[in-house]
Amino acid sequence: MTGAAAAAEDDRAVITGIGVVSPSGLGAERHWEATLTGRIAIGPITRFDPSGYPARLAGEVPGFVPRDHLPGRLLPQTDRLTQLALTAAEWAITDAGLSPSPEESLRYGVVLANSAGGFEFGENELRKLWSMGPKKVSAYQSYAWFYAVNTGQISIRHGLRGPCGVLVSGQAGGLDAIGQACRVLRKGADGVLTGGFEAPVCSWGVTAMSAGRDAPTAPQLSAGDDPATAYRPFAAGASGHVLAEGGAILVLEREGRARARGARHRYGRVAGYAATMDPPPGSSRPATLRNAAALALADAGLAPERIDVVFADAAGGTMRDRAEAEALTGLFGAGGVPVTAPKAMTGRMSAGGAAVDVATCLLAMRDGMIPPTADVRPDPSYGLDLVTGRPRPARIDHALILARGEGGFNSALVLAACPRETPPAAEPRDERASRDLPGT
Amino acid sequence: MAQDGPITLTDLVTVLRACAGEDDGVDLGGDIADRAFTDLGYDSVAMMEVSARMAERFGLELDEDRLFDLATPAEMLRCLNQAAAGDGEARR
């Protein structure tokens, strides 16, 4: 290898840690097991009484008790959003074995996506404001509701004092954050915690997400009452999506740095990223999801036939499913690539959703398994090879992940598998031990 | 809402726990009167919240500028109880 090639390899962005908190389970491995079995994690809303609301189903994170995971001092000052994100961040950092010294900490940052902020915390403080007056409003409201709150709290808790930021672009945000994290690495950071989280399952969240339901760019919430059928992306007569909470945090590092510190995992690397914006509703210009995918492939230097699986955005409404199917068949040909959308089992986690897709995709690469899109029977007219019912064994060297945010955001990310290095004798045991860590 | 007798450390700890939480490594039930709030894990936003909830409970408001000079529970209690006696800087 030439010196320049070795240097370029050292600068590539690799994922060395994963933390998932999703309706499918707490921790990456539990999430992965539930995803492979095709278990539906959508159910009736339990966090408030949803009767009288337009949506009565959601993907809720089950059995999450904040005080089991977080110091007591953080509980009164954080929304569920931040409690979920802080927990996943801790797991991701533990999985990566990352512990930068105070001197190194300026080269490690946090770049996350979020779209609604701490909705429930804000709702409760507004209720106090209107019913009891301003003196009852918590001082913690000053940041607990804010989109950037996860970035800030994680940065503070783990002493990651490098470049930080938040991306606000709906479901596309999980990919946009990773794209921004890659820029931060290119500018000289050694590592970034990235990904996204959302926790919109409260009465105000559901109200906000249901507003303007008939507008072409509005989120199309399913009014269905049956968890098995309410969200069926790519099915004939799909009726919208189900809201969900959760997300994933990934540790992204410069490859040379990860190797130098002896990182336990290289789950994969970010090979390409691109984002486009759709024209306004009613425009004669076409939607731009296909452009985003093509640009991400070009960024990765890959022809479409090198892609082994697509994790679809899978909006679950006929117009948007049609647009995505046309983008995919346009690039890959009809049935030209296996497509999956495990989010059919959890619901859409907005800014957390694509981050979970990336985590799921990395585990799919590791185990050579494409997880199913629940038991959805796709409309054959879409021309998609949708993996449904059970996982499909496949060698995955390259994967494309798509995500769209409400309002016209399209983002695409290409992941590449990291070739397994010839391990020193002790390494396989280390790897297994780290997989058994609680919550990873 | 003013009470009979001075506001005690127990009163303050009750409010601290309820509104600002308790760090795992800290025992608020121990002898904390002269420990710095920052050592106990409370930042300036926590102090604002504690001050607001003490005001709610005891009807005594601490001046915001003065609040951040009160480094320990003992200092805060002294300030509040002087005000309760009518000769402090806090006001009813």
Side-chain angles (χ1 to χ4, degrees):
Chain A
M1 195 185 295
T2 66
E9 194 162 302
D10 275 357
D11 284 345
R12 299 191 307 193
V14 292
I15 294 114
T16 56
I18 301 178
V20 178
V21 174
S22 149
S24 51
L26 297 175
E29 297 303 338
R30 276 190 224 168
H31 158 72
W32 178 230
E33 283 163 26
T35 302
L36 282 180
T37 60
R39 184 173 62 79
I40 299 278
I42 291 167
I45 289 173
T46 65
R47 293 186 57 77
F48 67 98
D49 176 5
S51 52
Y53 288 79
R56 289 165 303 281
L57 297 177
E60 296 181 352
V61 173
F64 179 78
V65 180
R67 68 178 73 250
D68 290 349
H69 304 284
L70 297 169
R73 190 179 44 78
L74 284 174
L75 301 180
Q77 58 174 294
T78 46
D79 183 77
R80 182 169 174 90
L81 166 76
T82 305
Q83 294 167 358
L84 299 176
L86 279 166
T87 301
E90 168 118 42
W91 289 342
I93 282 185
T94 303
D95 188 35
L98 188 69
S99 55
S101 67
E103 296 75 37
E104 292 169 329
S105 67
L106 286 166
R107 297 198 302 276
Y108 288 85
V110 185
V111 178
L112 299 173
N114 174 251
S115 290
F119 243 99
E120 189 175 27
F121 196 104
E123 175 180 4
N124 288 335
E125 296 311 312
L126 281 173
R127 187 177 289 120
K128 288 188 215 164
L129 173 68
W130 284 95
S131 62
M132 297 187 282
K135 286 185 188 297
K136 295 284 187 175
V137 175
S138 166
Y140 293 126
Q141 167 67 3
S142 56
Y143 52 74
W145 71 274
F146 189 47
Y147 316 104
V149 64
N150 292 346
T151 300
Q153 291 281 20
I154 290 169
S155 162
I156 293 165
R157 186 165 187 220
H158 295 286
L160 308 172
R161 301 186 296 152
C164 287
V166 60
L167 280 290
V168 182
S169 51
Q171 182 92 16
L175 300 188
D176 292 337
I178 296 170
Q180 172 66 8
C182 288
R183 286 185 203 110
V184 162
L185 286 184
R186 281 200 295 273
K187 286 180 182 174
D190 283 338
V192 186
L193 257 66
T194 186
F197 261 87
E198 211 77 76
V201 189
C202 62
S203 49
W204 190 24
V206 170
T207 301
M209 300 290 175
S210 322
R213 276 199 301 160
D214 298 328
T217 57
Q220 193 184 345
L221 279 197
S222 171
D225 279 318
D226 179 357
T229 60
Y231 175 34
R232 289 177 302 152
F234 303 113
S239 57
H241 73 264
V242 170
L243 211 61
E245 61 182 3
I249 306 280
L250 309 163
V251 178
L252 202 60
E253 289 183 78
R254 191 189 286 275
E255 186 158 15
R257 181 65 202 141
R259 191 180 288 121
R261 72 168 183 85
R264 282 194 290 255
H265 308 289
R266 287 188 308 150
Y267 287 102
R269 86 187 151 80
V270 180
Y273 162 76
T276 60
M277 196 74 198
D278 279 340
S283 163
S284 57
R285 287 177 286 139
T288 58
L289 180 63
R290 180 180 169 173
N291 305 41
L295 288 166
L297 287 171
D299 189 39
L302 292 173
E305 49 272 24
R306 301 280 304 280
I307 297 294
D308 302 306
V309 65
V310 174
F311 280 67
D313 174 64
T318 47
M319 271 175 57
R320 306 192 84 194
D321 283 351
R322 173 80 54 197
E324 183 165 31
E326 283 172 0
L328 290 175
T329 53
L331 269 176
F332 296 97
V337 65
V339 177
T340 189
K343 58 170 75 71
M345 278 108 64
T346 60
R348 285 171 74 82
M349 293 171 231
S350 191
V356 170
D357 277 347
V358 170
T360 309
C361 182
L362 293 165
L363 298 168
M365 283 177 160
R366 182 192 71 188
D367 291 352
M369 283 283 186
I370 300 174
T373 310
D375 217 359
V376 172
R377 183 179 303 182
D379 181 339
S381 76
Y382 288 138
L384 296 182
D385 172 15
L386 195 69
V387 178
T388 66
R390 66 188 65 172
R392 184 189 296 179
R395 180 184 162 136
I396 305 168
D397 289 325
H398 298 101
L400 174 68
I401 295 151
L402 300 180
R404 288 174 290 185
E406 272 83 35
F409 299 98
N410 299 296
S411 294
L413 190 84
V414 178
L415 292 176
C418 286
R420 285 178 196 267
E421 288 167 359
T422 316
E427 201 174 85
R429 197 173 30 209
D430 286 353
E431 200 168 17
R432 199 161 309 122
S434 66
R435 274 193 218 165
D436 291 342
L437 282 172
T440 57
Chain B
M1 270 207 283
Q3 61 178 34
D4 298 331
I7 303 168
T8 65
L9 185 61
T10 309
D11 296 326
L12 176 57
V13 165
T14 303
V15 170
L16 275 171
R17 280 196 174 119
C19 78
E22 182 172 9
D23 248 339
D24 298 341
V26 171
D27 177 15
L28 291 184
D31 183 16
I32 60 156
D34 294 312
R35 286 183 64 184
F37 281 118
T38 48
D39 284 354
L40 299 172
Y42 300 111
D43 60 11
S44 59
V45 185
M47 295 317 295
M48 288 181 68
E49 184 63 8
V50 169
S51 170
R53 302 290 80 91
M54 291 296 278
E56 196 179 294
R57 197 166 164 140
F58 300 107
L60 292 163
E61 268 186 60
L62 290 164
D63 180 77
E64 263 185 38
D65 295 333
R66 179 85 175 101
L67 170 66
F68 299 120
D69 296 334
L70 301 173
T72 65
E75 286 176 25
M76 179 180 273
L77 288 170
R78 201 175 307 126
C79 186
L80 285 168
N81 284 321
Q82 278 172 2
D87 57 356
E89 291 172 62
R91 60 182 186 276
R92 282 191 189 274

